[in-house]
PDB file of all heavy atoms in Angstrom:
ATOM      1  N   SER B 452      24.636  -3.378  20.727  1.00 30.00           N
ATOM      2  CA  SER B 452      24.472  -4.763  20.320  1.00 30.00           C
ATOM      3  C   SER B 452      23.811  -5.559  21.438  1.00 30.00           C
ATOM      4  O   SER B 452      24.088  -5.373  22.602  1.00 30.00           O
ATOM      5  CB  SER B 452      25.810  -5.385  20.014  1.00 30.00           C
ATOM      6  OG  SER B 452      26.453  -4.650  18.974  1.00 30.00           O
ATOM      7  N   GLU B 453      22.936  -6.458  21.035  1.00 31.00           N
ATOM      8  CA  GLU B 453      22.204  -7.218  22.017  1.00 31.00           C
ATOM      9  C   GLU B 453      22.151  -8.654  21.563  1.00 31.00           C
ATOM     10  O   GLU B 453      22.156  -8.924  20.386  1.00 31.00           O
ATOM     11  CB  GLU B 453      20.779  -6.666  22.154  1.00 31.00           C
ATOM     12  CG  GLU B 453      20.728  -5.187  22.443  1.00 31.00           C
ATOM     13  CD  GLU B 453      19.981  -4.901  23.681  1.00 31.00           C
ATOM     14  OE1 GLU B 453      19.641  -5.808  24.402  1.00 31.00           O
ATOM     15  OE2 GLU B 453      19.757  -3.699  23.944  1.00 31.00           O
ATOM     16  N   ILE B 454      22.052  -9.572  22.501  1.00 29.00           N
ATOM     17  CA  ILE B 454      21.877 -10.975  22.143  1.00 29.00           C
ATOM     18  C   ILE B 454      20.396 -11.221  21.915  1.00 29.00           C
ATOM     19  O   ILE B 454      19.563 -10.893  22.748  1.00 29.00           O
ATOM     20  CB  ILE B 454      22.413 -11.830  23.229  1.00 29.00           C
ATOM     21  CG1 ILE B 454      23.907 -11.640  23.357  1.00 29.00           C
ATOM     22  CG2 ILE B 454      22.013 -13.271  23.008  1.00 29.00           C
ATOM     23  CD1 ILE B 454      24.666 -12.813  23.912  1.00 29.00           C
ATOM     24  N   LYS B 455      20.121 -11.786  20.749  1.00 37.00           N
ATOM     25  CA  LYS B 455      18.730 -11.998  20.418  1.00 37.00           C
ATOM     26  C   LYS B 455      18.432 -13.497  20.513  1.00 37.00           C
ATOM     27  O   LYS B 455      19.301 -14.344  20.429  1.00 37.00           O
ATOM     28  CB  LYS B 455      18.461 -11.500  19.050  1.00 37.00           C
ATOM     29  CG  LYS B 455      18.917 -10.042  18.870  1.00 37.00           C
ATOM     30  CD  LYS B 455      18.033  -9.389  17.874  1.00 37.00           C
ATOM     31  CE  LYS B 455      18.197  -7.875  17.808  1.00 37.00           C
ATOM     32  NZ  LYS B 455      19.486  -7.305  17.874  1.00 37.00           N
ATOM     33  N   GLU B 456      17.152 -13.857  20.682  1.00 45.00           N
ATOM     34  CA  GLU B 456      16.791 -15.245  20.784  1.00 45.00           C
ATOM     35  C   GLU B 456      15.713 -15.592  19.827  1.00 45.00           C
ATOM     36  O   GLU B 456      14.888 -14.718  19.535  1.00 45.00           O
ATOM     37  CB  GLU B 456      16.312 -15.568  22.207  1.00 45.00           C
ATOM     38  CG  GLU B 456      17.419 -15.390  23.237  1.00 45.00           C
ATOM     39  CD  GLU B 456      16.866 -15.611  24.661  1.00 45.00           C
ATOM     40  OE1 GLU B 456      15.690 -15.249  24.909  1.00 45.00           O
ATOM     41  OE2 GLU B 456      17.605 -16.175  25.472  1.00 45.00           O
ATOM     42  N   GLN B 457      15.726 -16.816  19.297  1.00 51.00           N
ATOM     43  CA  GLN B 457      14.671 -17.228  18.379  1.00 51.00           C
ATOM     44  C   GLN B 457      13.666 -18.034  19.136  1.00 51.00           C
ATOM     45  O   GLN B 457      13.982 -18.933  19.879  1.00 51.00           O
ATOM     46  CB  GLN B 457      15.265 -18.035  17.258  1.00 51.00           C
ATOM     47  CG  GLN B 457      14.208 -18.539  16.275  1.00 51.00           C
ATOM     48  CD  GLN B 457      14.768 -19.442  15.225  1.00 51.00           C
ATOM     49  OE1 GLN B 457      15.748 -20.059  15.450  1.00 51.00           O
ATOM     50  NE2 GLN B 457      14.103 -19.537  14.101  1.00 51.00           N
ATOM     51  N   VAL B 458      12.439 -17.724  18.919  1.00 64.00           N
ATOM     52  CA  VAL B 458      11.338 -18.483  19.472  1.00 64.00           C
ATOM     53  C   VAL B 458      10.611 -19.203  18.390  1.00 64.00           C
ATOM     54  O   VAL B 458      10.059 -18.576  17.498  1.00 64.00           O
ATOM     55  CB  VAL B 458      10.389 -17.563  20.268  1.00 64.00           C
ATOM     56  CG1 VAL B 458       9.265 -18.378  20.917  1.00 64.00           C
ATOM     57  CG2 VAL B 458      11.130 -16.739  21.293  1.00 64.00           C
ATOM     58  N   THR B 459      10.637 -20.541  18.427  1.00 75.00           N
ATOM     59  CA  THR B 459      10.011 -21.313  17.367  1.00 75.00           C
ATOM     60  C   THR B 459       9.193 -22.395  17.979  1.00 75.00           C
ATOM     61  O   THR B 459       9.229 -22.697  19.153  1.00 75.00           O
ATOM     62  CB  THR B 459      11.070 -21.921  16.425  1.00 75.00           C
ATOM     63  OG1 THR B 459      11.811 -22.882  17.147  1.00 75.00           O
ATOM     64  CG2 THR B 459      11.969 -20.877  15.809  1.00 75.00           C
ATOM     65  N   MET B 460       8.384 -23.053  17.125  1.00 79.00           N
ATOM     66  CA  MET B 460       7.524 -24.142  17.594  1.00 79.00           C
ATOM     67  C   MET B 460       8.272 -25.468  17.580  1.00 79.00           C
ATOM     68  O   MET B 460       7.836 -26.423  18.258  1.00 79.00           O
ATOM     69  CB  MET B 460       6.319 -24.257  16.655  1.00 79.00           C
ATOM     70  CG  MET B 460       5.441 -23.049  16.688  1.00 79.00           C
ATOM     71  SD  MET B 460       4.415 -22.905  18.160  1.00 79.00           S
ATOM     72  CE  MET B 460       3.094 -24.056  17.790  1.00 79.00           C
ATOM     73  N   VAL B 461       9.335 -25.620  16.856  1.00 82.00           N
ATOM     74  CA  VAL B 461      10.061 -26.856  16.666  1.00 82.00           C
ATOM     75  C   VAL B 461      11.495 -26.707  17.128  1.00 82.00           C
ATOM     76  O   VAL B 461      12.085 -25.663  16.904  1.00 82.00           O
ATOM     77  CB  VAL B 461       9.981 -27.296  15.210  1.00 82.00           C
ATOM     78  CG1 VAL B 461      10.850 -28.540  14.973  1.00 82.00           C
ATOM     79  CG2 VAL B 461       8.560 -27.566  14.755  1.00 82.00           C
ATOM     80  N   SER B 462      12.008 -27.720  17.807  1.00 77.00           N
ATOM     81  CA  SER B 462      13.261 -27.605  18.477  1.00 77.00           C
ATOM     82  C   SER B 462      14.486 -28.067  17.642  1.00 77.00           C
ATOM     83  O   SER B 462      15.613 -27.803  18.043  1.00 77.00           O
ATOM     84  CB  SER B 462      13.262 -28.390  19.783  1.00 77.00           C
ATOM     85  OG  SER B 462      12.997 -29.753  19.506  1.00 77.00           O
ATOM     86  N   ASP B 463      14.269 -28.754  16.561  1.00 85.00           N
ATOM     87  CA  ASP B 463      15.389 -29.316  15.783  1.00 85.00           C
ATOM     88  C   ASP B 463      15.912 -28.263  14.778  1.00 85.00           C
ATOM     89  O   ASP B 463      15.173 -27.957  13.803  1.00 85.00           O
ATOM     90  CB  ASP B 463      14.911 -30.585  15.047  1.00 85.00           C
ATOM     91  CG  ASP B 463      16.066 -31.303  14.393  1.00 85.00           C
ATOM     92  OD1 ASP B 463      17.031 -30.671  14.009  1.00 85.00           O
ATOM     93  OD2 ASP B 463      15.961 -32.540  14.248  1.00 85.00           O
TER      94      ASP B 463
END
Side-chain angles (χ1 to χ4, degrees):
S452 300
E453 308 236 8
I454 294 206
K455 308 210 169 42
E456 296 176 324
Q457 179 185 25
V458 182
T459 65
M460 297 285 279
V461 175
S462 59
D463 189 332

